[in-house]
Amino acid sequence: MIGEMDADMVVGYFGGKSILITGSTGFLGKVLVEKILRVQPDVKKLFLLVRAPDVESAKLRIQTEVTGREIFLVLKEKHGMGFYDFIDEKICPLAGDIMHENFGLDTANLRELSKDIDIMVNIAATTNFSERYDVAFDANVLGAKHVCAFARKCMKLKMLLHVSTAYVAGEQEGLIPEKPFLIGETLKEGTHLDIESELNLIRETRRELKANCSSEKAERRTMKELGLKRARQFGWPNTYVFTKAMGEMLLGHLRGELPVVILRPSIITSILKEPLPGWMEGIRTIDAVVIGYAKQTLPFFLVDLSLIMDVIPGDMVVNAMMVAMAAHSEERAQTIYHVTSSLRNPAPYAILADTGHRYFYDNPPRTGRNGEPARLNKMRFFSTVARLSLYMAVRYRLPLEVNSN
């Protein structure tokens, strides 16, 4: 079906539709909201669910964190003086949170929304790899459950699109099938996952911490360690991908005949083409390494430069989301898509190292005290922990030991 759709068909699909979007204040959410408004001004309404105490606060958050951002400059130029009227007409702020049943919305709001919504897009998540287990579980597991329950109440809903991550597959190699997780499935042979038991474990751990009058710092550390421990017990490398996998399980288990598409992008990077090539917001995944190199605060890094760096530009992810919505509208099925680059357009980490060095050589960052360009040294890369440990011993530990004697 997707192969048969052209751009006009996809854009046309969104005309007259009302769409509820969670996570619109995040990078991917902004790109999606801007794209829909730019290519399909005849969209009926975008309901943006944001965490806020009331509608006015929600509206202010959208103005400052979404439509007021640089990515909307092209849309502003297109509409000129009518931009703000256009935004007021098309965007409806909702003060709520996916961590609560019915998003915490009142009955009247809920009733009206359930009549209006054609499409739901769930992007809201916590993406911190080592987040507290309780926080990650609330957002990525219970959040998915609440989104599904809400979607099933929408009378004319044609589609629920849920954004997950390619790394729910864990640390497997080779081609990964686009198949859903069954409830209780794990990545480690001989184990079985009971999501209700995980929730009870979280609650019990929190009760014990409170009973022992643990400090906030101790509680945070304990909950982070618990998440990593449980993830690794079932075969996932970190709390983020573990909880996202559980969220997928609940969606598949609870959806009934609801049309669901789960999109699994790999590492999302800056915009490739539209509306602003190279636009990025915040420090995401590999960005920390690039910034560390630019500031010359990260002289070395542990990575095998021959390994594939699976990245995908944010606008390509949004394009895939929109095509998937149009292609699978009203299909009473669950469909999985991996949105990645490693098979058709593999990019080894050596490309990042080389292009990063060339870019900052031509455009040296001004990090000196008086704003002078930084002196750029090439970053050292170590493919194994053993090589890195040897370098650290010779470069740092040995001189310290000699000086101390």
Side-chain angles (χ1 to χ4, degrees):
M1 179 65 179
I2 279 187
E4 298 170 5
M5 301 195 75
D6 61 22
D8 289 339
M9 287 172 67
V10 174
V11 170
Y13 171 77
F14 292 92
K17 297 288 194 305
S18 289
I19 308 168
L20 191 154
I21 301 172
T22 73
S24 62
T25 57
F27 171 72
L28 195 63
K30 290 182 184 69
V31 180
L32 175 64
V33 170
E34 192 279 339
K35 172 88 177 193
I36 293 173
L37 292 176
R38 177 164 46 83
V39 302
Q40 183 47 279
D42 292 329
V43 66
K44 185 179 177 183
K45 210 79 165 175
L46 298 184
F47 293 91
L48 305 187
L49 184 78
V50 295
R51 278 184 290 189
D54 52 55
V55 174
E56 280 306 308
S57 302
K59 186 175 182 179
L60 183 60
R61 272 201 75 187
I62 290 167
Q63 286 173 347
T64 55
E65 298 179 39
V66 183
T67 58
R69 298 297 194 182
E70 187 182 20
I71 190 175
F72 281 81
L73 287 176
V74 172
L75 199 62
K76 277 183 180 177
E77 290 173 5
K78 180 179 177 181
H79 288 274
M81 296 295 287
F83 173 75
Y84 296 102
D85 289 338
F86 174 71
I87 292 297
D88 286 342
E89 179 193 346
K90 298 298 178 180
I91 290 182
C92 178
L94 295 174
D97 195 326
I98 63 166
M99 289 193 280
H100 303 301
E101 285 188 27
N102 297 324
F103 307 150
L105 301 172
D106 59 52
T107 308
N109 237 334
L110 191 63
R111 194 179 299 116
E112 285 305 307
L113 272 176
S114 65
K115 295 176 187 173
D116 290 342
I117 303 298
D118 296 292
I119 304 165
M120 278 185 66
V121 182
N122 182 37
I123 307 174
T126 177
T127 58
N128 184 344
F129 288 0
S130 56
E131 181 61 271
R132 292 176 53 134
Y133 194 24
D134 51 348
V135 172
F137 197 95
D138 279 349
N140 299 342
V141 186
L142 295 182
K145 178 183 177 182
H146 297 150
V147 165
C148 188
F150 188 93
R152 292 188 66 176
K153 292 173 184 173
C154 295
M155 297 173 221
K156 59 171 188 170
L157 195 79
K158 298 169 178 62
M159 153 70 47
L160 165 60
L161 185 135
H162 173 76
V163 178
S164 184
T165 169
Y167 299 101
V168 292
E171 296 172 329
Q172 301 178 55
E173 293 184 2
L175 289 175
I176 311 296
E178 292 176 320
K179 68 181 186 69
F181 281 105
L182 300 177
I183 199 84
E185 188 178 343
T186 73
L187 298 182
K188 185 174 283 187
E189 197 173 331
T191 59
H192 175 79
L193 177 62
D194 186 323
I195 295 175
E196 192 66 32
S197 295
E198 294 302 306
L199 179 57
N200 290 335
L201 175 63
I202 289 169
R203 288 171 175 166
E204 184 58 35
T205 305
R206 291 191 66 176
R207 271 196 295 269
E208 288 176 6
L209 288 166
K210 281 183 170 48
N212 295 331
C213 300
S214 300
S215 68
E216 188 179 326
K217 185 177 179 181
E219 181 181 318
R220 185 166 59 248
R221 184 181 66 249
T222 299
M223 295 309 295
K224 281 188 173 187
E225 289 172 353
L226 179 64
L228 287 169
K229 179 185 174 184
R230 299 304 288 175
R232 288 166 183 164
Q233 179 170 329
F234 295 111
W236 280 274
N238 57 59
T239 309
Y240 166 57
V241 296
F242 176 43
T243 52
K244 290 297 283 185
M246 283 192 279
E248 284 195 23
M249 289 176 201
L250 283 183
L251 266 182
H253 184 63
L254 300 172
R255 71 175 187 86
E257 293 188 337
L258 190 69
V260 169
V261 169
I262 294 175
L263 210 78
R264 294 174 178 167
S266 54
I267 300 170
I268 301 175
T269 60
S270 59
I271 287 174
L272 178 67
K273 290 181 180 177
E274 296 179 340
L276 298 173
W279 185 79
M280 172 53 83
E281 190 174 67
I283 298 173
R284 312 169 59 82
T285 53
I286 59 172
D287 303 338
V289 179
V290 176
I291 290 170
Y293 177 61
K295 292 182 175 180
Q296 291 290 284
T297 56
L298 189 66
F300 51 82
F301 195 66
L302 177 64
V303 66
D304 183 343
L305 294 179
S306 66
L307 292 178
I308 301 302
M309 172 184 64
D310 204 316
V311 294
I312 187 85
D315 52 335
M316 292 183 74
V317 177
V318 162
N319 291 346
M321 290 167 69
M322 292 176 68
V323 172
M325 283 185 261
H328 297 285
S329 182
E330 300 187 70
E331 282 186 7
R332 294 185 176 183
Q334 178 178 243
T335 309
I336 310 278
Y337 284 112
H338 291 168
V339 184
T340 62
S341 63
S342 56
L343 183 64
R344 289 191 178 181
N345 192 19
Y349 281 95
I351 286 182
L352 177 64
D354 181 55
T355 54
H357 178 74
R358 283 193 285 113
Y359 176 82
F360 290 119
Y361 184 83
D362 294 336
N363 306 276
R366 297 182 177 274
T367 57
R369 287 184 180 178
N370 300 316
E372 67 270 16
R375 182 184 172 189
L376 205 65
N377 295 311
K378 271 204 166 186
M379 187 185 285
R380 289 175 177 266
F381 296 97
F382 299 93
S383 58
T384 66
V385 174
R387 289 178 180 177
L388 175 60
S389 299
L390 180 62
Y391 173 78
M392 294 284 283
V394 173
R395 179 72 176 81
Y396 297 102
R397 193 174 68 200
L398 194 60
L400 286 172
E401 289 174 353
V402 169
N403 290 335
S404 66
N405 293 330

